């Protein structure tokens, strides 16, 4: 599939984040996206919709999630005080339920009985299957066969919840290919089907809608850090695949110029195309282009073909990134770094052995950045990590990658 490179479109077009975003889809999906935008606009203005969502987030999902001072990790590293926003304690084990629940309520409001979704690490698939079970909706999840192998536990969880999991063997058999199949399904069944897209990407209104359903992360974190420390953090660090957990953590702090926003991409095992998934990397990184409905940075070769990606974490190996992150990168409001596979694995071990917390491998990329950054800061500085998910799902990968019988 080609990531067509275009001249930057007008920044004033609805659904844009600066030059990025937009709606690049087949004509058969335009009416569905317009219907979705209209339904979301009405729901977002309806206090009853928000009241039901807030009630379920609290009583069903377990919000607010704690903001935890990682005392032993902070002492070991020296420098800044490190806090963890514990999205890993949320029902289903990751932040993904915030968005799946919001979109599930919207689908029910629109009268859609059949739900489709894509998933990489499996957490969005589990969250979607959970919501469909809760609301009595039919559920089909598309997942790359490579990701199904890496995330076998989550495949079992989805099926136990009643979802049909359809493996995708085309391309690299990972997240990009799962999205392709989900979009093909949606085109075919557009009248009866609602597509719960799992990250802050895709065609308008998905990037805005997904971000808004995850804003609760930053809203809570801001209130919690002010209550506990009486000031805002020096920096907020979050991993970035498509970018949903990061934009949720960042958004409430955008007006605060003194708060650094740091997104951490998958540095993989090298800087060459195909060895990583770091779209903003200087060498071997991405270029602006269109992929799967939106204009953003895309890893692509000289012919404009989408490049293969690699990450030890199944949720970060996507060739593009959410358009709002592209804007934040270009404006300099957020900084985007990367952590290698080896650094993420080491960070997993460090957090486990200092705090008794097993992070998802995706989240471990953010922890790896914090491990490098904290010692360079003052003891009065605060470093807030969005711990987007727990590591239960990654035990198979960790057992293969680490010598769990010896010292790590």
């Amino acid at each position: 599939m080609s990531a067509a490179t275009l001249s930057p479109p007008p920044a004033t077009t609805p659904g844009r984040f600066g030059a990025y975003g937009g709606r690049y889809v087949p004509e058969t999906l335009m009416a569905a996206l317009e219907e979705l935008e209209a339904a979301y606009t009405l729901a977002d203005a309806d206090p009853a919709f928000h009241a039901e969502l807030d009630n379920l987030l609290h009583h069903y999902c377990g919000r607010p999630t704690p903001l935890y001072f990682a005392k032993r990790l902070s002492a070991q590293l020296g420098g800044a005080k490190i806090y963890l926003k514990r999205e890993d304690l949320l029902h289903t084990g990751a932040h993904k339920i915030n968005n799946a629940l919001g979109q599930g309520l919207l689908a029910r409001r629109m009268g859609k009985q059949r739900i489709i979704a894509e998933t990489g690490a499996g957490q969005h698939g589990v969250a979607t299957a959970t919501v469909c079970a809760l609301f009595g909706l039919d559920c089909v999840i598309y997942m790359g066969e490579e990701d199904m192998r890496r995330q076998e536990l989550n495949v079992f969880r989805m099926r136990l919840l009643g979802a049909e999991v359809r493996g995708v063997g085309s391309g690299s058999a990972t997240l990009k290919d799962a999205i392709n199949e989900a979009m093909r399904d949606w085109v075919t069944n557009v009248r009866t089907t609602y597509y719960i897209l799992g990250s802050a990407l895709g065609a308008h209104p998905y990037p805005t809608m997904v971000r808004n359903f995850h804003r609760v992360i930053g809203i809570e974190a801001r209130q919690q850090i002010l209550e506990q420390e009486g000031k805002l953090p020096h920096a907020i660090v979050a991993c970035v695949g498509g970018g949903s957990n990061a934009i949720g953590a960042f958004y409430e702090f955008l007006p605060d110029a003194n708060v650094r926003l740091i997104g951490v991409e998958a540095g993989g095992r090298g800087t060459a195309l195909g060895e990583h998934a770091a779209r903003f990397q200087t060498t071997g990184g991405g270029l602006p282009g269109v992929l799967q409905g939106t204009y953003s940075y895309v890893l692509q070769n000289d012919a404009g073909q989408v490049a293969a990606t690699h990450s030890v974490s199944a949720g970060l190996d996507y060739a593009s990134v959410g358009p709002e992150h592209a804007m934040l990168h270009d404006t300099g409001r957020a900084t985007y770094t990367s952590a290698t596979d080896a650094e993420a694995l080491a960070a997993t071990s460090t957090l486990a052995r200092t705090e008794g917390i097993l992070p998802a491998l995706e989240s471990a990329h953010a922890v790896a950045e914090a491990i490098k950054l904290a010692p360079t800061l003052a003891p009065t500085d605060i470093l807030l990590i969005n711990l987007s998910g727990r590591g239960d799902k990654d035990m198979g990968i960790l057992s293969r990658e680490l010598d769990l019988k010896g010292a790590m």
Side-chain angles (χ1 to χ4, degrees):
M1 180 176 180
S2 174
T5 301
L6 307 177
S7 299
T12 54
T13 306
R16 296 288 179 186
F17 303 92
Y20 301 101
R23 189 180 280 165
Y24 297 89
V25 295
E27 188 64 29
T28 50
L29 287 181
M30 288 300 291
L33 287 167
E34 290 167 356
E35 177 191 26
L36 175 60
E37 181 181 11
Y40 174 67
T41 300
L42 288 174
D44 193 43
D46 185 353
F49 177 82
H50 288 285
E52 184 174 11
L53 177 58
D54 291 345
N55 181 274
L56 285 167
L57 286 173
H58 177 61
H59 293 288
Y60 184 69
C61 297
R63 301 213 73 95
T65 57
L67 184 67
Y68 168 71
F69 173 44
K71 183 177 181 179
R72 292 193 67 235
L73 180 63
S74 300
Q76 177 173 304
L77 296 176
K81 296 178 72 173
I82 298 174
Y83 279 82
L84 307 177
K85 181 58 173 161
R86 298 291 308 277
E87 295 297 288
D88 60 309
L89 295 180
L90 203 56
H91 180 45
T92 70
H95 70 292
K96 293 293 188 180
I97 192 72
N98 300 321
N99 170 59
L101 188 58
Q103 289 202 56
L105 285 171
L106 187 58
R108 192 179 67 178
R109 184 184 179 104
M110 295 172 68
K112 305 286 187 178
Q113 176 63 30
R114 182 176 183 267
I115 304 298
I116 60 170
E118 86 300 324
T119 194
Q123 287 303 123
H124 175 60
V126 169
T128 299
T130 298
V131 168
C132 288
L134 178 65
F135 294 155
L137 302 173
D138 301 328
C139 184
V140 176
I141 306 293
Y142 288 93
M143 191 173 189
E145 290 178 353
E146 171 63 15
D147 288 338
M148 290 179 71
R149 182 188 64 79
R150 292 193 290 178
Q151 300 292 332
E152 188 177 30
L153 176 60
N154 274 344
V155 175
F156 291 153
R157 292 171 74 191
M158 285 182 272
R159 287 173 173 161
L160 183 60
L161 288 161
E164 177 188 350
V165 182
R166 296 184 182 177
V168 179
S170 59
S172 59
T174 56
L175 181 59
K176 170 179 67 69
D177 311 290
I179 294 175
N180 284 342
E181 288 304 315
M183 291 184 71
R184 290 188 184 103
D185 185 317
W186 199 24
V187 168
T188 305
N189 303 288
V190 68
R191 294 181 183 274
T192 60
T193 297
Y194 185 105
Y195 179 15
I196 299 184
L197 185 62
S199 196
L201 42 82
H204 175 65
Y206 280 109
T208 298
M209 190 165 63
V210 174
R211 177 249 283 157
N212 286 346
F213 286 135
H214 284 304
R215 282 180 63 184
V216 64
I217 301 170
I219 291 170
E220 289 178 3
R222 185 185 186 90
Q223 179 180 347
Q224 289 166 328
I225 200 64
L226 288 173
E227 289 175 351
Q228 294 184 47
E229 291 285 346
K231 63 179 182 179
L232 296 178
H234 173 81
I236 300 171
V237 185
C239 66
V240 179
S244 61
N245 94 89
I247 203 63
F250 291 171
Y251 191 73
E252 297 306 309
F253 296 89
L254 288 179
D256 303 297
N258 292 330
V259 178
R260 293 177 60 191
L261 306 176
I262 303 171
V264 188
E265 300 184 284
R269 57 195 173 203
T271 59
L273 278 177
E275 297 293 304
H276 63 85
R279 289 64 50 102
F280 298 123
Q281 187 171 276
T282 303
T283 303
L287 296 169
V290 171
L291 180 63
Q292 294 175 330
T294 196
Y295 180 74
S296 185
Y297 278 74
V298 183
L299 290 169
Q300 52 188 296
N301 62 24
D302 292 340
Q305 297 298 309
V306 178
T309 56
H310 164 78
S311 173
V312 70
S313 58
L316 297 188
D317 60 355
Y318 184 58
S320 188
V321 66
E324 193 161 10
H325 287 291
M327 179 197 71
L328 293 175
H329 170 269
D330 285 8
T331 61
R333 180 60 190 94
T335 301
Y336 295 85
T337 63
S338 63
T340 65
D341 288 352
E343 288 170 334
L345 289 164
T348 300
S349 177
T350 297
L351 188 61
R353 296 191 173 199
T354 57
E355 297 293 343
I357 296 171
L358 294 170
L361 277 170
E362 291 78 15
S363 311
H365 287 70
V367 177
E369 175 62 23
I371 288 172
K372 290 182 278 188
L373 181 58
T376 71
L377 302 177
T380 53
D381 288 330
I382 298 166
L383 194 54
L384 195 159
I385 304 171
N386 192 38
L387 202 70
S388 57
R390 66 178 181 234
D392 307 41
K393 67 183 180 60
D394 296 317
M395 288 301 106
I397 297 173
L398 291 169
S399 68
R400 291 191 295 271
E401 296 288 341
L402 299 173
D403 179 11
L404 297 180
K405 296 179 180 179
M408 288 182 281

